[in-house]
Amino acid sequence: MKDLQKAIVYMLFSTLAFAVMNGLVKYLIDFSAYELVFFRSLGTLILTMVFLLYKKIPLLGNKRSLLVTRGVAGAVSLILFFLSLKYLPVGTAVVLRYLSPVFAAIFAVIWLKEKIKPIQWLFFLLAFSGVLVMKGFNDDLSLIGLVLIFSSALVMGIVFVTISKIGKQDHPIVIINYFMAIGTLLGGVLALNDWRTPQGNEWIILSSLGVVGFVGQLFMTKAFQIASTNQVAPLKYLEVIFTVLIGAFWFIEIYTVWAILGMIMVIAGLLLNIFYKSRKVS
Protein backbone atom coordinates (compact mmCIF):
# COMPACT_ATOMS: atom_id res chain seq x y z
CA MET A 1 0.00 0.00 0.00
CA LYS A 2 2.90 2.32 0.82
CA ASP A 3 4.45 1.71 -2.62
CA LEU A 4 1.14 2.50 -4.30
CA GLN A 5 0.87 5.80 -2.41
CA LYS A 6 4.42 6.67 -3.50
CA ALA A 7 3.61 5.73 -7.10
CA ILE A 8 0.55 8.01 -7.07
CA VAL A 9 2.66 10.91 -5.78
CA TYR A 10 5.32 10.20 -8.40
CA MET A 11 2.70 10.19 -11.17
CA LEU A 12 1.24 13.47 -9.90
CA PHE A 13 4.69 15.06 -10.17
CA SER A 14 5.28 13.44 -13.57
CA THR A 15 1.99 14.46 -15.17
CA LEU A 16 2.25 17.98 -13.75
CA ALA A 17 5.80 18.30 -15.12
CA PHE A 18 4.72 17.17 -18.60
CA ALA A 19 1.71 19.51 -18.49
CA VAL A 20 3.98 22.44 -17.57
CA MET A 21 6.30 21.48 -20.43
CA ASN A 22 3.32 21.47 -22.83
CA GLY A 23 2.36 24.92 -21.58
CA LEU A 24 5.89 26.26 -22.01
CA VAL A 25 6.05 24.93 -25.58
CA LYS A 26 2.73 26.64 -26.35
CA TYR A 27 4.08 29.86 -24.80
CA LEU A 28 7.18 29.65 -27.03
CA ILE A 29 5.06 29.27 -30.16
CA ASP A 30 7.08 31.96 -31.99
CA PHE A 31 10.05 29.59 -32.10
CA SER A 32 10.10 26.84 -34.71
CA ALA A 33 9.06 23.37 -33.56
CA TYR A 34 12.51 22.12 -34.57
CA GLU A 35 14.29 24.62 -32.33
CA LEU A 36 11.98 23.73 -29.44
CA VAL A 37 12.75 20.02 -29.92
CA PHE A 38 16.46 20.88 -29.99
CA PHE A 39 16.37 22.73 -26.66
CA ARG A 40 14.00 20.24 -25.03
CA SER A 41 16.20 17.31 -26.08
CA LEU A 42 19.54 18.97 -25.30
CA GLY A 43 18.49 19.90 -21.76
CA THR A 44 17.47 16.33 -20.95
CA LEU A 45 20.46 14.85 -22.81
CA ILE A 46 22.89 16.66 -20.53
CA LEU A 47 21.16 15.19 -17.47
CA THR A 48 20.94 11.64 -18.87
CA MET A 49 24.59 11.70 -19.97
CA VAL A 50 25.72 12.81 -16.50
CA PHE A 51 23.62 10.04 -14.91
CA LEU A 52 24.94 7.29 -17.20
CA LEU A 53 28.58 8.38 -16.83
CA TYR A 54 28.24 8.67 -13.05
CA LYS A 55 26.65 5.21 -12.80
CA LYS A 56 29.18 3.84 -15.35
CA ILE A 57 26.38 2.45 -17.51
CA PRO A 58 27.45 1.79 -21.15
CA LEU A 59 26.07 4.58 -23.33
CA LEU A 60 25.53 2.48 -26.46
CA GLY A 61 23.34 -0.16 -24.77
CA ASN A 62 22.62 -3.65 -26.08
CA LYS A 63 19.72 -3.47 -28.59
CA ARG A 64 21.27 -0.69 -30.64
CA SER A 65 19.16 -0.94 -33.78
CA LEU A 66 15.97 -0.89 -31.69
CA LEU A 67 17.33 1.97 -29.58
CA VAL A 68 17.99 4.01 -32.73
CA THR A 69 14.49 3.17 -34.03
CA ARG A 70 12.96 4.30 -30.73
CA GLY A 71 15.04 7.48 -30.77
CA VAL A 72 14.14 8.44 -34.34
CA ALA A 73 10.45 7.65 -33.86
CA GLY A 74 10.36 9.55 -30.57
CA ALA A 75 12.05 12.62 -32.08
CA VAL A 76 9.72 12.63 -35.12
CA SER A 77 6.64 12.24 -32.89
CA LEU A 78 7.82 15.11 -30.68
CA ILE A 79 8.42 17.38 -33.70
CA LEU A 80 4.93 16.63 -35.05
CA PHE A 81 3.41 17.26 -31.61
CA PHE A 82 5.16 20.64 -31.26
CA LEU A 83 4.11 21.56 -34.81
CA SER A 84 0.47 20.75 -34.00
CA LEU A 85 0.48 23.21 -31.09
CA LYS A 86 0.62 26.06 -33.62
CA TYR A 87 -2.81 24.98 -34.90
CA LEU A 88 -4.61 23.32 -31.96
CA PRO A 89 -5.47 24.22 -28.35
CA VAL A 90 -2.83 22.62 -26.14
CA GLY A 91 -5.39 20.49 -24.26
CA THR A 92 -6.88 19.15 -27.49
CA ALA A 93 -3.44 18.25 -28.87
CA VAL A 94 -2.50 16.34 -25.71
CA VAL A 95 -5.79 14.40 -25.68
CA LEU A 96 -5.44 13.36 -29.33
CA ARG A 97 -1.79 12.40 -28.89
CA TYR A 98 -3.00 9.89 -26.32
CA LEU A 99 -4.52 7.89 -29.17
CA SER A 100 -1.01 6.46 -29.55
CA PRO A 101 -1.87 3.29 -27.53
CA VAL A 102 -4.47 2.45 -30.20
CA PHE A 103 -1.82 2.61 -32.93
CA ALA A 104 0.59 0.74 -30.65
CA ALA A 105 -1.95 -2.07 -30.29
CA ILE A 106 -2.29 -2.31 -34.08
CA PHE A 107 1.51 -2.36 -34.54
CA ALA A 108 1.79 -4.98 -31.78
CA VAL A 109 -0.59 -7.24 -33.72
CA ILE A 110 1.59 -6.92 -36.82
CA TRP A 111 5.05 -6.87 -35.25
CA LEU A 112 4.72 -8.77 -31.95
CA LYS A 113 1.88 -11.09 -33.05
CA GLU A 114 -0.25 -10.01 -30.10
CA LYS A 115 -4.01 -10.55 -30.14
CA ILE A 116 -6.68 -7.92 -29.59
CA LYS A 117 -10.09 -9.00 -28.31
CA PRO A 118 -13.24 -7.73 -30.10
CA ILE A 119 -14.25 -5.75 -27.00
CA GLN A 120 -10.93 -3.85 -27.17
CA TRP A 121 -11.75 -2.78 -30.73
CA LEU A 122 -15.02 -1.38 -29.33
CA PHE A 123 -13.03 0.63 -26.78
CA PHE A 124 -10.80 1.95 -29.57
CA LEU A 125 -13.90 2.80 -31.63
CA LEU A 126 -15.24 4.81 -28.67
CA ALA A 127 -11.96 6.74 -28.54
CA PHE A 128 -12.01 7.51 -32.27
CA SER A 129 -15.69 8.45 -32.06
CA GLY A 130 -14.65 11.05 -29.53
CA VAL A 131 -12.35 12.58 -32.14
CA LEU A 132 -15.23 12.73 -34.62
CA VAL A 133 -17.38 14.48 -32.01
CA MET A 134 -14.61 16.99 -31.34
CA LYS A 135 -14.12 17.79 -35.03
CA GLY A 136 -17.67 17.28 -36.30
CA PHE A 137 -19.15 19.89 -33.99
CA ASN A 138 -16.21 22.30 -34.02
CA ASP A 139 -15.41 23.97 -37.34
CA ASP A 140 -12.58 25.91 -35.67
CA LEU A 141 -10.52 22.75 -35.15
CA SER A 142 -7.71 22.94 -37.72
CA LEU A 143 -7.48 20.07 -40.21
CA ILE A 144 -3.73 20.65 -40.53
CA GLY A 145 -3.42 20.43 -36.76
CA LEU A 146 -5.42 17.19 -36.69
CA VAL A 147 -3.23 15.60 -39.39
CA LEU A 148 -0.09 16.59 -37.46
CA ILE A 149 -1.30 15.29 -34.10
CA PHE A 150 -2.65 12.05 -35.58
CA SER A 151 0.73 11.53 -37.26
CA SER A 152 2.44 12.20 -33.93
CA ALA A 153 0.22 9.63 -32.18
CA LEU A 154 0.81 7.06 -34.93
CA VAL A 155 4.59 7.40 -34.72
CA MET A 156 4.39 7.30 -30.92
CA GLY A 157 2.68 3.93 -31.33
CA ILE A 158 5.91 2.71 -32.96
CA VAL A 159 7.80 4.02 -29.92
CA PHE A 160 5.69 1.96 -27.49
CA VAL A 161 6.08 -1.24 -29.49
CA THR A 162 9.83 -0.69 -29.86
CA ILE A 163 10.25 -0.16 -26.10
CA SER A 164 8.26 -3.34 -25.53
CA LYS A 165 10.60 -5.15 -27.93
CA ILE A 166 13.66 -3.81 -26.06
CA GLY A 167 12.14 -4.96 -22.75
CA LYS A 168 14.56 -5.02 -19.81
CA GLN A 169 17.60 -5.63 -21.98
CA ASP A 170 18.59 -1.96 -21.72
CA HIS A 171 18.49 0.54 -18.84
CA PRO A 172 15.54 3.01 -19.07
CA ILE A 173 17.93 5.99 -19.01
CA VAL A 174 19.88 4.50 -21.94
CA ILE A 175 16.62 4.40 -23.91
CA ILE A 176 15.83 8.01 -22.99
CA ASN A 177 19.43 9.03 -23.79
CA TYR A 178 19.14 7.69 -27.35
CA PHE A 179 15.85 9.56 -27.76
CA MET A 180 17.34 12.84 -26.53
CA ALA A 181 20.58 12.46 -28.54
CA ILE A 182 18.69 11.88 -31.78
CA GLY A 183 16.19 14.62 -30.89
CA THR A 184 19.05 17.09 -30.32
CA LEU A 185 20.71 16.16 -33.63
CA LEU A 186 17.52 16.08 -35.72
CA GLY A 187 15.98 19.18 -34.13
CA GLY A 188 19.25 21.11 -34.40
CA VAL A 189 19.80 20.31 -38.09
CA LEU A 190 16.20 21.09 -39.07
CA ALA A 191 16.24 24.33 -37.05
CA LEU A 192 19.22 25.80 -38.95
CA ASN A 193 17.08 27.34 -41.72
CA ASP A 194 14.62 28.91 -39.27
CA TRP A 195 16.80 29.61 -36.24
CA ARG A 196 15.77 32.41 -33.89
CA THR A 197 18.31 33.39 -31.24
CA PRO A 198 16.59 33.57 -27.84
CA GLN A 199 16.59 36.88 -25.98
CA GLY A 200 16.73 37.52 -22.22
CA ASN A 201 14.43 35.24 -20.22
CA GLU A 202 13.77 33.09 -23.30
CA TRP A 203 17.09 31.37 -22.65
CA ILE A 204 15.90 30.33 -19.18
CA ILE A 205 12.50 29.13 -20.43
CA LEU A 206 14.01 27.16 -23.33
CA SER A 207 16.61 25.61 -21.05
CA SER A 208 13.90 24.62 -18.56
CA LEU A 209 12.13 22.49 -21.21
CA GLY A 210 14.74 19.76 -20.90
CA VAL A 211 14.78 19.89 -17.09
CA VAL A 212 10.99 19.71 -16.76
CA GLY A 213 10.85 16.95 -19.38
CA PHE A 214 13.51 14.97 -17.49
CA VAL A 215 11.60 15.34 -14.21
CA GLY A 216 8.46 14.04 -15.93
CA GLN A 217 10.32 11.04 -17.37
CA LEU A 218 12.13 10.29 -14.09
CA PHE A 219 9.06 10.29 -11.85
CA MET A 220 7.02 8.32 -14.39
CA THR A 221 9.75 5.66 -14.51
CA LYS A 222 9.89 5.53 -10.70
CA ALA A 223 6.11 5.10 -10.51
CA PHE A 224 6.09 2.19 -12.96
CA GLN A 225 8.98 0.55 -11.11
CA ILE A 226 7.23 0.32 -7.71
CA ALA A 227 3.59 -0.29 -8.70
CA SER A 228 1.83 -2.44 -11.28
CA THR A 229 1.05 -0.99 -14.70
CA ASN A 230 -2.72 -1.25 -14.23
CA GLN A 231 -2.46 0.82 -11.04
CA VAL A 232 -0.24 3.51 -12.52
CA ALA A 233 -1.15 3.80 -16.24
CA PRO A 234 -4.61 5.40 -15.73
CA LEU A 235 -2.98 8.18 -13.69
CA LYS A 236 -1.07 9.26 -16.82
CA TYR A 237 -4.29 10.88 -18.02
CA LEU A 238 -4.00 13.46 -15.25
CA GLU A 239 -1.68 15.19 -17.72
CA VAL A 240 -4.73 15.89 -19.87
CA ILE A 241 -6.57 17.55 -16.98
CA PHE A 242 -3.56 19.64 -15.95
CA THR A 243 -2.88 20.66 -19.57
CA VAL A 244 -6.51 21.62 -20.25
CA LEU A 245 -6.46 23.78 -17.09
CA ILE A 246 -3.21 25.41 -18.21
CA GLY A 247 -4.73 26.06 -21.63
CA ALA A 248 -7.88 27.57 -20.12
CA PHE A 249 -6.25 29.79 -17.49
CA TRP A 250 -2.90 30.64 -19.11
CA PHE A 251 -3.83 30.90 -22.78
CA ILE A 252 -7.56 31.62 -22.30
CA GLU A 253 -8.43 28.68 -24.57
CA ILE A 254 -12.16 28.01 -24.77
CA TYR A 255 -13.35 24.41 -24.94
CA THR A 256 -16.90 23.86 -26.19
CA VAL A 257 -19.26 21.31 -24.68
CA TRP A 258 -18.70 19.09 -27.73
CA ALA A 259 -14.93 19.38 -27.37
CA ILE A 260 -15.10 18.34 -23.72
CA LEU A 261 -17.51 15.49 -24.54
CA GLY A 262 -15.14 14.28 -27.28
CA MET A 263 -12.19 14.42 -24.87
CA ILE A 264 -14.13 12.37 -22.31
CA MET A 265 -14.97 9.77 -24.97
CA VAL A 266 -11.34 9.48 -26.06
CA ILE A 267 -10.06 9.10 -22.51
CA ALA A 268 -12.90 6.73 -21.55
CA GLY A 269 -12.15 4.43 -24.49
CA LEU A 270 -8.45 4.28 -23.64
CA LEU A 271 -9.04 3.81 -19.90
CA LEU A 272 -11.52 1.01 -20.51
CA ASN A 273 -8.87 -0.76 -22.56
CA ILE A 274 -6.32 -0.38 -19.74
CA PHE A 275 -8.76 -1.73 -17.14
CA TYR A 276 -9.74 -4.62 -19.41
CA LYS A 277 -6.11 -5.60 -19.98
CA SER A 278 -5.29 -5.33 -16.27
CA ARG A 279 -8.25 -7.58 -15.43
CA LYS A 280 -7.08 -10.17 -17.96
CA VAL A 281 -3.58 -10.12 -16.45
CA SER A 282 -4.85 -10.48 -12.88
Side-chain angles (χ1 to χ4, degrees):
M1 189 64 182
K2 198 171 182 180
D3 282 347
L4 178 58
Q5 290 174 344
K6 277 186 178 180
I8 291 172
V9 173
Y10 288 155
M11 284 302 289
L12 283 171
F13 277 115
S14 173
T15 53
L16 183 58
F18 281 127
V20 169
M21 187 187 74
N22 296 334
L24 290 174
V25 171
K26 184 73 173 179
Y27 177 75
L28 296 165
I29 205 71
D30 289 337
F31 288 88
S32 74
Y34 310 119
E35 190 171 349
L36 292 174
V37 168
F38 170 76
F39 277 103
R40 185 265 185 264
S41 301
L42 179 61
T44 302
L45 178 63
I46 293 170
L47 296 173
T48 54
M49 286 290 287
V50 169
F51 177 89
L52 293 174
L53 291 172
Y54 177 75
K55 293 289 186 178
K56 297 180 179 179
I57 299 172
L59 298 177
L60 296 179
N62 300 310
K63 295 291 185 177
R64 295 173 190 175
S65 60
L66 289 174
L67 287 167
V68 170
T69 300
R70 185 267 181 266
V72 172
V76 171
S77 177
L78 192 62
I79 288 172
L80 291 167
F81 173 54
F82 285 2
L83 282 170
S84 75
L85 292 179
K86 295 182 182 292
Y87 302 94
L88 297 173
V90 64
T92 301
V94 170
V95 170
L96 296 181
R97 196 176 188 225
Y98 270 105
L99 288 170
S100 51
V102 178
F103 295 114
I106 295 171
F107 290 135
V109 170
I110 300 169
W111 193 4
L112 305 179
K113 308 303 179 185
E114 293 183 3
K115 293 183 179 180
I116 298 178
K117 299 291 185 181
I119 192 171
Q120 289 179 272
W121 289 115
L122 286 177
F123 297 152
F124 295 157
L125 180 61
L126 174 62
F128 275 108
S129 296
V131 178
L132 295 178
V133 168
M134 292 171 69
K135 175 58 182 170
F137 294 93
N138 188 357
D139 293 334
D140 294 332
L141 209 56
S142 167
L143 184 59
I144 295 175
L146 287 175
V147 170
L148 288 169
I149 201 61
F150 266 115
S151 300
S152 175
L154 189 148
V155 178
M156 182 59 71
I158 297 175
V159 170
F160 290 153
V161 176
T162 306
I163 291 175
S164 178
K165 195 80 172 175
I166 294 170
K168 296 181 180 179
Q169 297 176 77
D170 277 298
H171 194 284
I173 301 299
V174 172
I175 299 174
I176 296 171
N177 195 60
Y178 263 84
F179 173 23
M180 293 299 107
I182 292 172
T184 301
L185 180 62
L186 188 60
V189 170
L190 293 174
L192 289 176
N193 289 332
D194 195 21
W195 181 268
R196 177 191 157 190
T197 303
Q199 303 294 324
N201 290 337
E202 290 176 342
W203 281 108
I204 298 174
I205 299 173
L206 283 164
S207 300
S208 69
L209 288 177
V211 177
V212 175
F214 179 77
V215 169
Q217 294 271 9
L218 179 63
F219 280 108
M220 182 176 69
T221 302
K222 282 179 171 290
F224 276 97
Q225 284 177 330
I226 64 174
S228 62
T229 300
N230 64 295
Q231 290 175 319
V232 174
L235 297 174
K236 190 76 176 75
Y237 291 92
L238 289 172
E239 181 186 345
V240 174
I241 297 173
F242 291 142
T243 304
V244 168
L245 290 174
I246 287 173
F249 290 101
W250 188 359
F251 302 106
I252 320 298
E253 293 177 343
I254 298 173
Y255 298 92
T256 66
V257 173
W258 291 111
I260 294 172
L261 176 61
M263 289 180 186
I264 292 173
M265 290 172 67
V266 171
I267 296 172
L270 298 174
L271 284 176
L272 284 168
N273 182 56
I274 291 173
F275 291 137
Y276 176 79
K277 289 197 297 184
S278 65
R279 191 192 67 177
K280 295 288 288 184
V281 171
S282 60

